[in-house]
Amino acid sequence: MTPLPRPRAILFDWDNTLVDAWGTIHLALNAALAAMGHPAWTLEETRIRVRASLRDSFPRMFGDRWLEARDIFYATYRARHLEAVRPLPAAEFVTSTLAGEGLYLGVVSNKTGPLLRAEAAKLGWDRHFGRLVGAGDAKIDKPAPDPVYLATQELHITDYNHVWFIGDAAIDVECARHAGCMAILVGPGMGEEERIKQLKPEAQLKQLTDVLDLVRESGLTI
């Protein structure tokens, strides 16, 4: 594989890329579904289906009652998320290593911005990232490019080929494509294999630590 352009910035998705918060997401989503008279989802269904931001997905799911469902989801999620969020294996090592070498790191997530930043602070990871951008922070959420531009605003970047976007799902690759970034997928893209083949990420890695090898191959010493 041809080495990727040296990164000026590396952006990460949050859920299922750096942390595991699926248990709380699943609990909160099922609380909203039950209140709206919908059948519950299994945890596997939640993992596969939850991709878009709440403000994009809930109107489609709940119609005119989406604001009521939103409030139930957030009340349930806020009550549990800080005690339940867990780092994924090697996430702390990878982000601290990259940040320690002076690389600019950011997060672009479809988790609501204040919740995202509260989780990062709880884990002590906010020090690694120049900006953590969540749903609602930019005018339009991921997969639109707006959150990418907001996350890198202070860098005044003109060539986004030198920005890497690392995530676990097709929506992350789509976001990278829209912004002109290098798209790097970690994991198999569960349930989205055909869509990911169509999007053709620049790299598809087995595990997060492989990001460090990609950085080295780009010519940076870490």
Side-chain angles (χ1 to χ4, degrees), residues 64-118:
D64 293 341
R65 298 185 69 190
W66 82 271
L67 291 175
E68 183 183 351
R70 176 200 65 183
D71 292 345
I72 293 167
F73 177 91
Y74 281 143
T76 307
Y77 191 85
R78 288 191 182 101
R80 293 285 302 276
H81 76 120
L82 292 182
E83 69 185 48
V85 66
R86 296 288 183 270
L88 286 175
E92 164 67 20
F93 173 69
V94 170
T95 54
S96 63
T97 298
L98 294 173
E101 294 299 322
L103 274 166
Y104 180 92
L105 306 184
V107 170
V108 172
S109 171
N110 270 339
K111 175 168 283 175
T112 300
L115 298 178
L116 165 67
R117 289 183 284 275

